[in-house]
Amino acid sequence: QDSWQSGGRIPGYLTTHPGVPERVNYLATTLETRPKSSRARERRVGDPEAFKLMQAKLIGSYHNPPSEAEAILNQWLKQPARKVMADYGMGLLLRREGKMEAAVNSFRSAISQRPDLSPILIELGATYFMMGKLDNAVSVLESALSLSPDQPAALYVLGRCRLEQGNPAEALKQLTRAVRLNNRLEAIHYHLGMAYGQLNQLGPAHHNFGLYYLRRGDLRNADFHLQEALRRTDDPSQREVILKQLAMINKKAAEAAKNEQGKGN
């Protein structure tokens, strides 16, 4: 799945598995020789545009050392057909290095050439959010959502903007839509918990905090928040869900204790 491309955590095999750069280059060559999505023997070659965005994201955000990533992107900048993706990748690289204003300029250059590519708009909006320029971030993210209404990363960052702006009701609306589309976005349950808490809906707040800590492997805090959620919930179906999650925590805790005991012996 490719939800990491616009906000989710990248799968480990794309950055750690041996031979990934070679496979990516092979696929890039295949798509360049067959520039349109096509079918051959019932197998889809793929969407070249989506692949180019993925390739730029991998290089700009994850390729190490950064100097090598910069060299690749500078080569792309010399090729008119790759200028948009070069600017996009360079924006990601500059942001990774903390050069936020330069990153904004690179993203804006890419957008001036291809204003229809919502993933680039989302990265610009996320960069503005990191810089604390919330009004700018909201404007860009809303533009991205006008192009692609079901972009979870745009909804996620927009929800966080609304939280920072002191509008938890609007934040909850955006974050709830985001989690329905992709519940793997980093720390989304924490921010949902904050939105519910600010609205004094403490049952759902504790439930989301519990899910956040459970995903982080912090069983003690997960157990505390899920017990609080259970105490504040009367809905039978919701109680059943929470009880299953608590049972899973107990199982994990028992397994961890057993492993520790085995090490001691």
Side-chain angles (χ1 to χ4, degrees), residues 141-170:
L141 292 165
E142 287 180 341
S143 295
L145 288 166
S146 71
L147 293 171
S148 304
D150 291 332
Q151 278 279 2
L155 293 163
Y156 173 54
V157 182
L158 183 57
R160 293 193 62 188
C161 287
R162 295 306 190 191
L163 267 178
E164 293 290 329
Q165 292 175 326
N167 189 343
E170 189 62 28

Side-chain angles (χ1 to χ4, degrees), residues 22-170:
E22 290 80 3
R23 288 200 299 276
V24 169
N25 288 334
Y26 171 77
L27 290 169
T29 302
T30 301
L31 287 169
E32 284 170 6
T33 58
R34 305 176 76 167
K36 294 182 179 180
S37 296
S38 61
R39 292 182 181 275
R41 296 181 184 177
E42 302 297 321
R43 288 186 290 183
R44 188 177 177 86
V45 171
D47 180 354
E49 197 90 286
F51 184 85
K52 289 173 184 175
L53 285 162
M54 182 200 77
Q55 196 178 18
K57 175 87 171 181
L58 279 171
I59 293 169
S61 292
Y62 304 105
H63 191 99
N64 282 310
S67 59
E68 195 173 296
E70 185 176 6
I72 295 169
L73 294 168
N74 279 327
Q75 285 298 315
W76 285 15
L77 283 168
K78 297 174 185 177
Q79 304 171 45
R82 287 190 161 183
K83 178 73 165 59
V84 174
M85 296 305 161
D87 283 330
Y88 172 47
M90 195 64 78
L92 295 165
L93 175 62
L94 290 164
R95 188 176 71 190
R96 181 170 31 143
E97 296 178 327
K99 301 171 183 176
M100 308 302 272
E101 291 289 353
V104 165
N105 290 336
S106 285
F107 288 134
R108 290 178 68 86
S109 176
I111 291 164
S112 69
Q113 299 164 75
R114 288 296 304 273
D116 58 312
L117 292 178
S118 59
I120 305 178
L121 285 164
I122 293 169
E123 297 291 2
L124 175 59
T127 305
Y128 278 134
F129 173 76
M130 294 174 191
M131 298 169 73
K133 296 184 176 182
L134 300 180
D135 290 340
N136 291 33
V138 167
S139 176
V140 171
L141 292 165
E142 287 180 341
S143 295
L145 288 166
S146 71
L147 293 171
S148 304
D150 291 332
Q151 278 279 2
L155 293 163
Y156 173 54
V157 182
L158 183 57
R160 293 193 62 188
C161 287
R162 295 306 190 191
L163 267 178
E164 293 290 329
Q165 292 175 326
N167 189 343
E170 189 62 28

